[in-house]
C-alpha cells in the first residue's frame, strides 16, 4: 500500500503533467535515496548551501547558485536580493522596502498566474511591481520609459502561461537592462534548458526543481556570484519562512547531477501511447492519435477526441468522471472545450496507461447504456 493510500487518500494517476496540484514530480530511486539519507542525518547547512551553489553552477554554467524551496520562493528571494544587496540590516527589513530602489519592471502579458501570481511573489520579496504596456502589446519604449532611479530590476517570465505574442523578446529587454546597468532576471521555472538563459547573458535565472528537473519540491536560482551570495543570505531574512531543508537540497543536488544523463525516451512514450490508442480503438465516439508537443519538445501525447453524440458523454463529462473516480485519473484538458483530452506519458507510472484505457471504456459503456 502506498503512503497516500495508508492515509486514506485516493490513488492518483497523473497523465496531466508536472502539476503542483498533483504533487509535481515523482523522483527517481537515486533522488529518493538521497532524500532519505539526508533526512536521517546532520550537516553544516551553510557548508551544504555553498556546495549546492557550486553544483548549480556546474550544471547551469552560471557563476554560482542558491537552492530554494521552489521557483516561487526563488522570485521572492531574488527580488529581495536586488533591493537589499549585501546589507544585513536591509535584509532583515524586507519586505518593507520603502525609500529603497524597489521597482521591478515586468511586461504586462507576463504578469500571470501560475498557481499564484507572479506579482505577489515579487511583492513578498519587497518589490513594487511596475507593469508596462498592455496585456497583448508591449513596445521597447514602454520598458525604456518605465525605468526610473527607483528601478531595481527588469523581470522576464519565460513560460507557456505568459502571452506569447506582442511581448518584447528576452534579447531586447536584456539590452535595455544592460544599457541602464540594471540587473536582468528571468523566471524560467518550467523550462528544460538549464543553461540557455545564463548563456544569453541574464544576471539571474530562476528554476523549479520539481518540474523539468523532476527533483523534489524545490527550486534554485543561478547567476552572478555577488547576487547568489546575497540570495543565500536572504535565509537570515525573507527566506526563512520559505527555507529548504537538508533533505530538499540533497534531493535537488542529486536530481541536477542525474539530469544530463537522462535519456530521451521518445520511443517508449510512442509505444505506450500507441498501446493506449489501440485499446481505445473500438470505443464508439473516440478518436485517439499520437501528437508531439506543440512547443516541439520530445513529448508524445495521446490525443483523444470525443464525439459526444456517439460516445454518450462530452469530453467534460468524461474528464469529470475520471477525476472524481478512485483511482482519480487526471488528463490534460487545455482543449476540453472543443472535445479534446490528452494523456501525457511522462508522469505515468508503469502500466497506468492500461488502467486509463479500461477506465475510459467502462465509463463510456455505462453512459452509452443509460
Ligand atoms: C511553476 C511556476 C512557478 C512556481 O514554481 P514552484 O517551483 O512551484 O514554486 C513560478 N513561475 C512560473 C512561470 C511557473 O510556471
Amino acid at each position: 500500500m502506498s503512503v497516500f493510500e495508508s492515509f486514506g487518500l485516493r490513488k492518483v494517476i497523473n497523465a496531466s503533467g508536472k502539476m503542483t496540484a498533483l504533487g509535481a514530480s515523482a523522483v527517481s530511486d537515486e533522488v529518493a535515496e538521497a532524500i532519505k539519507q539526508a533526512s536521517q542525518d546532520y550537516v553544516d547547512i551553510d557548508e551544504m548551501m555553498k556546495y549546492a551553489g557550486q553544483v548549480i553552477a556546474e550544471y547551469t554554467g552560471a557563476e554560482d547558485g542558491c537552492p530554494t524551496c521552489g521557483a516561487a520562493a526563488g522570485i521572492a528571494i531574488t527580488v529581495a536580493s536586488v533591493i537589499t544587496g549585501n546589507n544585513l540590516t536591509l535584509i532583515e527589513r524586507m519586505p518593507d522596502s520603502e525609500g529603497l530602489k524597489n521597482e521591478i519592471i515586468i511586461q504586462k502579458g507576463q504578469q500571470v498566474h501560475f498557481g499564484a501570481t507572479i506579482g505577489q511573489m515579487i511583492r513578498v520579496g519587497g518589490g513594487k511591481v511596475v507593469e508596462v504596456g498592455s496585456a497583448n502589446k508591449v513596445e521597447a519604449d514602454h520598458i525604456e520609459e518605465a525605468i526610473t532611479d527607483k528601478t531595481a530590476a527588469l523581470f522576464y517570465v519565460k513560460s507557456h502561461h505568459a502571452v506569447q505574442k506582442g511581448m518584447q523578446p528576452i534579447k531586447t529587454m536584456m539590452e535595455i537592462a544592460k544599457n541602464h546597468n540594471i540587473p536582468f532576471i528571468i523566471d524560467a521555472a518550467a523550462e528544460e534548458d538549464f543553461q540557455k538563459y545564463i548563456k544569453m547573458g541574464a544576471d539571474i535565472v530562476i528554476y523549479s526543481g520539481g518540474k523539468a528537473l523532476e527533483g523534489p519540491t524545490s527550486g534554485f536560482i543561478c547567476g552572478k556570484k555577488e547576487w547568489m551570495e546575497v540570495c543565500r543570505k536572504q535565509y537570515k531574512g525573507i527566506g526563512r519562512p520559505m527555507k529548504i531543508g537538508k533533505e530538499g537540497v540533497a534531493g535537488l543536488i542529486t536530481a541536477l547531477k542525474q539530469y544530463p544523463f537522462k535519456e530521451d525516451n521518445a520511443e517508449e512514450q510512442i509505444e505506450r501511447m500507441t498501446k493506449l490508442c489501440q485499446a481505445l480503438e473500438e470505443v464508439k465516439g473516440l478518436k485517439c492519435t499520437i501528437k508531439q508537443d506543440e512547443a516541439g519538445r520530445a513529448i508524445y501525447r495521446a490525443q483523444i477526441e470525443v464525439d459526444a453524440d456517439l460516445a454518450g458523454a462530452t469530453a467534460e463529462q468524461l474528464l469529470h468522471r475520471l477525476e472524481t473516480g478512485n483511482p482519480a485519473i487526471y488528463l490534460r484538458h487545455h482543449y476540453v472545450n472543443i472535445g479534446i483530452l490528452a494523456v501525457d506519458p511522462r508522469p505515468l507510472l508503469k502500466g497506468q496507461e492500461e488502467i486509463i484505457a479500461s477506465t475510459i471504456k467502462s465509463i463510456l459503456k455505462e453512459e452509452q447504456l443509460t
Side-chain angles (χ1 to χ4, degrees):
M1 197 196 287
S2 81
V3 64
F4 299 127
E5 286 170 287
S6 79
F7 296 155
L9 304 173
R10 280 184 305 151
K11 177 164 185 59
V12 164
I13 293 181
N14 178 9
S16 161
K18 311 278 166 56
M19 316 295 284
T20 287
L22 299 178
S25 282
V27 303
S28 68
D29 286 342
E30 289 82 358
V31 172
E33 187 56 33
I35 294 169
K36 176 173 185 287
Q37 286 189 20
S39 66
Q40 295 179 324
D41 204 351
Y42 299 93
V43 67
D44 181 319
I45 292 289
D46 269 352
E47 200 181 312
M48 187 186 209
M49 293 297 263
K50 279 192 198 128
Y51 173 68
Q54 283 170 25
V55 175
I56 293 167
E58 186 182 341
Y59 290 95
T60 59
E63 290 173 13
D64 197 356
C66 172
T68 63
C69 65
I75 298 172
I77 288 173
T78 297
V79 166
S81 298
V82 294
I83 296 171
T84 62
N86 195 15
N87 181 314
L88 183 61
T89 308
L90 293 181
I91 285 172
E92 290 181 347
R93 211 182 96 181
M94 289 298 111
D96 172 8
S97 63
E98 183 142 4
L100 302 173
K101 264 190 181 204
N102 63 357
E103 293 179 358
I104 306 292
I105 295 176
I106 180 169
Q107 303 188 56
K108 200 161 203 146
Q110 297 184 353
Q111 219 291 58
V112 293
H113 192 276
F114 58 83
T117 70
I118 299 277
Q120 184 176 30
M121 304 308 111
I122 291 174
R123 292 200 307 277
V124 167
K128 192 172 157 222
V129 181
V130 177
E131 284 178 25
V132 300
S134 303
N136 62 346
K137 184 77 190 159
V138 179
E139 306 265 14
D141 281 350
H142 290 130
I143 301 172
E144 190 86 46
E145 287 159 14
I147 293 173
T148 68
D149 56 4
K150 297 277 254 168
T151 305
L154 267 52
F155 194 98
Y156 189 98
V157 180
K158 175 76 181 109
S159 166
H160 68 279
H161 293 300
V163 176
Q164 304 296 321
K165 281 192 290 190
M167 298 298 111
Q168 288 298 312
I170 290 176
K171 217 168 150 273
T172 307
M173 204 178 187
M174 187 156 65
E175 265 166 30
I176 296 172
K178 293 218 187 294
N179 289 343
H180 290 266
N181 216 2
I182 296 166
F184 182 61
I185 304 165
I186 301 184
D187 171 6
E191 294 300 299
E192 297 180 310
D193 192 328
F194 298 119
Q195 301 184 340
K196 182 172 175 183
Y197 306 105
I198 288 294
K199 224 179 257 164
M200 281 177 85
D203 297 291
I204 305 175
V205 188
I206 300 159
Y207 288 97
S208 182
K211 293 181 178 171
L213 186 62
E214 297 188 309
T217 305
S218 62
F220 65 89
I221 311 167
C222 57
K224 298 266 158 64
K225 186 154 202 69
E226 46 168 317
W227 290 124
M228 294 308 107
E229 278 165 4
V230 178
C231 283
R232 293 196 295 265
K233 203 162 166 180
Q234 298 296 331
Y235 285 109
K236 296 182 174 186
I238 195 92
R240 183 56 190 253
M242 48 185 98
K243 83 174 174 192
I244 176 168
K246 60 189 189 253
E247 53 287 299
V249 179
L252 175 70
I253 290 173
T254 309
L256 271 169
K257 290 187 173 191
Q258 281 192 327
Y259 191 74
F261 305 105
K262 242 199 259 153
E263 77 268 25
D264 171 2
N265 62 351
E267 261 168 50
E268 189 200 328
Q269 290 183 28
I270 293 170
E271 192 184 312
R272 293 174 78 186
M273 293 302 96
T274 305
K275 229 188 248 162
L276 175 81
C277 283
Q278 279 165 352
L280 293 176
E281 217 160 53
E282 79 263 33
V283 183
K284 238 188 350 186
L286 296 190
K287 186 170 157 241
C288 183
T289 45
I290 314 274
K291 280 263 162 13
Q292 189 177 358
D293 177 58
E294 305 93 330
R297 293 176 294 179
I299 309 168
Y300 295 86
R301 303 188 179 93
Q303 179 174 298
I304 304 171
E305 288 170 63
V306 183
D307 180 336
D309 292 336
L310 291 174
T314 63
E316 271 112 343
Q317 287 165 335
L318 177 58
L319 183 74
H320 181 72
R321 287 284 306 270
L322 288 168
E323 289 184 357
T324 52
N326 192 5
I329 298 174
Y330 288 86
L331 307 190
R332 278 173 85 83
H333 53 79
H334 295 55
Y335 301 108
V336 65
N337 58 325
I338 53 168
I340 293 175
L341 297 169
V343 175
D344 190 324
R346 295 170 303 161
L348 281 185
L349 307 186
K350 198 161 170 274
Q352 288 185 334
E353 62 273 20
E354 286 157 35
I355 303 175
I356 294 174
S358 62
T359 310
I360 290 177
K361 274 194 207 168
S362 69
I363 289 173
L364 291 182
K365 203 185 248 166
E366 254 174 60
E367 296 291 337
Q368 285 163 2
L369 287 176
T370 55

